[in-house]
Each structure stands twice: as structure tokens, then as C-alpha cells.
């Protein structure tokens, strides 16, 4: 029931046509054309499941890479902080290689920042802290005055 002065608008369509509203006007398009356009944008059969599988595999890969990278950096930091094993810290041939690998791990994490969802500032702070601590532990500042003076 309409109140006085109100009017009811109804769209009367011919069979086989569908109304498309936009920009203040109504445009009629054949249903067959709409069905063809919808089929062109629809995912292939089984495609949605495949996309979900790819998404979950990508999520697992990103999470694994993030955890492995941060664990590696953290483990080097702990080795340097605890001073164990001492032979690893004092090995002059191994130290530059470890520093390079540590820097490359940090750099790769920064490059892949958007894909794995990690903060590049935090990564570089962790890498620099691990590198500095590992380097400083090699001087043995608490055991010798020369190491303390060098550091």
C-alpha cells in the first residue's frame, strides 16, 4: 500500500533481457551475453581448490623461510653471547665466512620482506647485533687487556 503522492516504479523486462543500472540510466543486455561474460571470468573446474592449495603451500613456504632465517640469526647470536663453542668463535678462517653468510641471510630476508611478511628494520638490527657480538666475543674482552683495548 502506497501513501498519497508516492508512486511505485517497476521495471518491465522483455523475456531474455536483463537490466543493468549505472550512471542514472538503465541499459538492457541480452542474458546470453551476460552468461558468456560470467563464464569467461569464472575459475576453471577444480581451479578454486587448486588456488587454495597453492595459497596454503605458499603460506607454509613463507613461514618456514621466515622461521629458518630468524632461527639461524638468533642461534649465531646465542653462540657469540654464550661463548660456546670457543673453537668456533676463535677460528679465524671461519669467522669471515660466517659473517658473510649471516649478512647474506639478512639481506635475503630484507629483499623478500613483502613476500614473507617480516620487518626489514628488525631483521637488520638482529643481523648487526649478531655480527657485532660474534666479532666482539672473538676478542675476549673479559679475559685480556689487549682484547678489551682492541674492542
Amino acid at each position: 500500500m502506497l501513501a498519497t503522492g508516492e508512486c511505485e516504479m517497476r521495471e518491465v523486462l522483455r523475456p531474455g533481457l536483463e537490466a543493468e543500472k549505472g550512471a542514472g540510466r538503465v541499459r538492457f543486455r541480452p542474458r546470453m551475453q551476460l552468461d558468456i561474460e560470467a563464464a569467461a571470468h569464472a575459475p576453471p573446474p577444480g581451479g578454486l581448490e587448486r588456488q587454495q592449495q597453492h595459497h596454503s603451500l605458499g603460506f607454509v613456504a613463507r613461514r618456514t623461510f621466515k622461521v629458518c632465517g630468524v632461527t639461524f640469526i638468533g642461534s649465531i647470536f646465542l653462540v657469540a653471547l654464550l661463548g660456546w663453542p670457543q673453537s668456533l668463535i676463535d677460528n679465524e678462517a671461519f669467522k669471515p665466512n660466517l659473517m658473510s653468510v649471516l649478512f647474506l641471510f639478512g639481506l635475503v630476508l630484507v629483499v623478500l620482506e613483502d613476500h614473507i611478511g617480516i620487518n626489514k628494520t628488525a631483521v637488520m638490527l638482529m643481523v648487526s647485533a649478531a655480527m657485532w657480538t660474534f666479532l666482539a666475543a672473538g676478542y675476549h674482552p673479559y679475559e685480556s687487556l689487549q682484547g678489551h683495548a682492541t674492542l
Side-chain angles (χ1 to χ4, degrees), residues 5-38:
E6 292 182 7
C7 64
E8 183 178 346
M9 290 188 65
R10 291 187 185 169
E11 293 180 11
V12 179
L13 299 177
R14 291 179 285 161
L17 292 180
E18 212 170 278
E20 185 179 90
K21 295 181 181 179
R25 55 188 184 155
V26 177
R27 193 173 84 178
F28 295 100
R29 295 172 60 188
R31 280 199 183 128
M32 187 172 145
Q33 182 182 359
L34 291 175
D35 291 341
I36 291 171
E37 289 174 6

Side-chain angles (χ1 to χ4, degrees), residues 6 8 18-19 28 44 52-53 68 73 100 117 120 142 145:
E6 292 182 7
E8 183 178 346
E18 212 170 278
F28 295 100
Q52 289 173 346
Q53 287 174 348
C68 289
I73 294 168
S100 298
K120 63 183 167 189
Y142 294 117
L145 287 174

